[in-house]
Amino acid sequence: MAICTDWSNHSTAWLMHHGLGLRAVLMDLMAGVEIKGDEAMIQPLAEFSKRNASHVKGILNLTIPLSESPM
């Protein structure tokens, strides 16, 4: 991102985690909620991930397989 001056990409990684909604998933997991894949928060996360797969790979070094289920 052009506006990011953090050369270690910590700011960009945080932004990607936030955009994906990973904090909400983590908070639910820490509260003991079992996530099965049919929760309302998982579908938008999967759609965002697939739309931005190349950015997720570039920033988080995490490959999003487009043919896989949200889980």
Side-chain angles (χ1 to χ4, degrees), residues 8-9 22 26 32 55 60 62 66:
S8 299
N9 289 328
L22 295 179
L26 180 61
H55 299 297
L60 300 179
L62 178 68
L66 300 178

Side-chain angles (χ1 to χ4, degrees), residues 33-44 46 69-71:
V33 175
E34 183 179 340
I35 297 178
K36 298 172 276 188
D38 57 355
E39 288 82 4
M41 72 174 138
I42 297 297
Q43 204 56 39
S69 73
M71 287 307 290

Side-chain angles (χ1 to χ4, degrees), residues 6-39:
D6 178 9
W7 291 101
S8 299
N9 289 328
H10 296 294
S11 300
T12 312
W14 179 88
L15 182 61
M16 182 60 68
H17 284 113
H18 180 74
L20 286 170
L22 295 179
R23 183 181 187 280
V25 173
L26 180 61
M27 296 301 287
D28 281 352
L29 289 172
M30 290 177 61
V33 175
E34 183 179 340
I35 297 178
K36 298 172 276 188
D38 57 355
E39 288 82 4

